[in-house]
Amino acid sequence: MVKADGRVIWLEDPSQDLYGRWSTNWPDWVKITSPINYRSPQRIVNLINALELTDEHLEAGNGYAGMIPNIDPYQPGMEIEATENAVKDLITEGYSPESIAVLSFRGVTSSQLLQDKVNDLAGLKIKKFI
């Protein structure tokens, strides 16, 4: 779709490739890499580094410090209850239900939150986008 004399800029973030499916190998293209994460608040970048969730150390490029991350350990099989407690905590802190999003990284077929039997969390109806 690019004109014959057009230019293409390809941006990708390998750390977003959760399933290891994406691979680009264009040896004739100029490659620029940067360890700066502009997308995430500073405290999230610090947590990513502390947990070594990326192969390379990241630098925070976002000027927003963000909230202090809250890590709530839970026992296997208690995922729904732990998520419900996290939602309740956010509401207690003053967040409106409309501003809370729960993301699942398990995939549609294995996410417990997307099962038909789970229709609400902390008394709030779940909007499922599948």
Side-chain angles (χ1 to χ4, degrees):
M1 296 176 59
V2 178
K3 295 179 182 179
D5 61 344
R7 296 174 55 183
V8 173
I9 297 175
W10 181 272
L11 302 173
E12 70 179 49
D13 183 350
S15 67
Q16 295 293 308
D17 183 16
L18 300 176
Y19 301 106
R21 297 179 185 157
W22 188 259
S23 176
T24 54
N25 184 15
W26 300 325
D28 297 335
W29 286 48
V30 173
K31 182 177 181 181
I32 300 171
T33 59
S34 174
I36 303 173
N37 178 318
Y38 293 98
R39 176 182 56 248
S40 303
Q42 296 166 7
R43 289 183 171 133
I44 297 298
V45 172
N46 292 339
L47 182 62
I48 290 169
N49 287 330
L51 297 176
E52 298 180 347
L53 299 178
T54 58
D55 293 335
E56 302 293 327
H57 180 84
L58 297 176
E59 295 176 31
N62 189 329
Y64 177 60
M67 298 177 1
I68 296 172
N70 187 18
I71 300 173
D72 293 315
Y74 60 88
Q75 298 299 317
M78 301 297 289
E79 293 85 355
I80 300 298
E81 291 83 356
T83 305
E84 192 164 41
N85 289 336
V87 169
K88 287 178 184 176
D89 288 347
L90 289 170
I91 291 170
T92 300
E93 290 177 25
Y95 290 91
S96 67
E98 297 81 24
S99 66
I100 299 172
V102 176
L103 306 176
S104 171
F105 294 98
R106 298 284 304 175
V108 172
T109 57
S110 60
S111 172
Q112 291 188 26
L113 291 173
L114 295 178
Q115 302 302 317
D116 290 334
K117 63 183 176 183
V118 180
N119 294 312
D120 66 85
L121 285 173
L124 303 170
K125 183 170 172 50
I126 298 174
K127 293 180 184 178
K128 300 177 183 182
F129 302 97
I130 53 174

